[in-house]
Amino acid sequence: QVAGDYAYVVTRYGDLYVFDLQNPAQPKLAGSLPLNLPGCQALEIKGNLAYLACNPGGLEIVDISNPQQPVEVSGGALPGTLLSIALAGDYAYLVDVTNHGLLVADVSNPSSPSQAGFFSVNDVPGSSSEGYSFSSVRVCGNSLCLAAVQDGLVVLDLSHPAQPAFAGRYDTSVATGLAINGNQVYLVDDMDGLYVLDVSNPGQPALLGQMPTSVGGFEFTVTETSERGVFAQGNQVYITDQAYGLTVVDARDAGNPTRIGYYLPPVPDVLQAIRVEGDYAYVVGRTSGFHIVDIANPSQLRQLSYDNSRKNLYLQSPTGLELVGKYAYISDSSYPFRVYDVSNPNQPVQTGAVFDPAASDGAYDVVIAGKAAYLSGWGLQDAFYPGDGLWVIDLSDPSRPQAAQFVDLPNE
């Protein structure tokens, strides 16, 4: 969250940090607050207080009247896996993954917050999200709007703020993030793209327009955490993605939202392994595949190639990488082993792969020694309780790798 000249940042495995933005080109760390239980996913600011949704610490409330010295007001009163937060009046509404629903906290006394109510995913009529929770929560007018994963957009009535009640719903595939602009809701669905919805009648959210990700050569990946980053400023919508960077959407025409810009980091996604040879870095990402980056000028990295064939999330998931001569050898948690010819860094070509139906699980790392590749991972024929061990791949002909042996080992 940004307030005045400062940005307040929480991190999944760390603490609260405050950055001075007076020179936006050179943000400076101005202050921080170590948390008793590190790890938060979201925060909202109201006045001189920051409200943090944390995992596993739950709700943390911090005094930020002096941004350089934030002070904890309360913490630990409402523990749990809290991943998104919205504030309305004397209440904080928090996505509670532990209990599969929405926790309502009375924060009228910030030093002693207490639970005032709870709305379960099972309270959504016809819910298909059993075992899931909500993803994101925002105040929309006099209501609450939830990105409710498989239940799409869910709108709650706040006539009784401590006990929100179901008002209406618009069904989508996997809703993970939303932003509000008046009575318009911008709902991002991992599978479907961006929905523009009218919630002026909370009981009947109405579709105004949609920007499907299947059009225009871009897509979203399944969010790594519960809540996708979405921000609305006027009629522009900014959407983050762990693999595909930042998408900017013009929503002035609500019936026809249009992608007008994007920023793709040089090597996006959760990266698994890297090898460097000469002027090139070879990188594999868990859902983004195989990258080759020109590193001749370290201050101006250039991505030369990017294997973007993973429309099917179950197709490939690279885990390890080795480079020998003109070949890159990649282990994969979905499809154990692949070989690429990288003699032309601009156009790497897959020349071989190993997939044994009798041991159809994946591998987690790879090492090359002589004419063999050794992979750690799963194997044997029991797909439900696979063995853990060592694959041996014959590389006598690198373009035609052959499975040689699997040795079962105890533990993982």
Side-chain angles (χ1 to χ4, degrees), residues 233-255:
Q233 181 169 277
N235 290 308
Q236 288 192 341
V237 186
Y238 301 84
I239 305 166
T240 63
D241 189 278
Q242 66 194 40
Y244 299 110
L246 174 68
T247 287
V248 185
V249 179
D250 184 342
R252 283 176 295 180
D253 179 359

Side-chain angles (χ1 to χ4, degrees), residues 4-26:
D5 290 330
Y6 295 95
Y8 299 84
V9 181
V10 288
T11 60
R12 197 193 310 177
Y13 302 115
D15 301 314
L16 170 67
Y17 302 91
V18 185
F19 290 89
D20 185 331
L21 302 180
Q22 292 185 69
N23 181 356
Q26 291 184 323

Side-chain angles (χ1 to χ4, degrees), residues 71 154 182 188 297:
V71 177
V154 169
V188 179
N297 182 350

Side-chain angles (χ1 to χ4, degrees), residues 274-335:
I274 182 170
R275 293 292 181 268
V276 173
E277 185 170 297
D279 289 337
Y280 303 105
Y282 302 82
V283 186
V284 288
R286 184 168 59 192
T287 58
S288 65
F290 183 32
H291 307 259
I292 300 181
V293 180
D294 185 335
I295 58 170
N297 182 350
S299 65
Q300 292 183 326
L301 304 180
R302 290 192 309 121
Q303 184 162 271
L304 300 178
S305 62
Y306 170 31
D307 179 3
N308 188 23
S309 62
R310 287 158 182 79
K311 307 296 183 185
N312 180 345
L313 291 177
Y314 298 99
L315 181 62
Q316 294 183 23
S317 185
T319 54
L321 169 69
E322 285 291 348
L323 194 67
V324 179
K326 68 174 186 177
Y327 292 103
Y329 302 95
I330 298 174
S331 59
D332 193 290
S333 64
S334 295
Y335 195 119

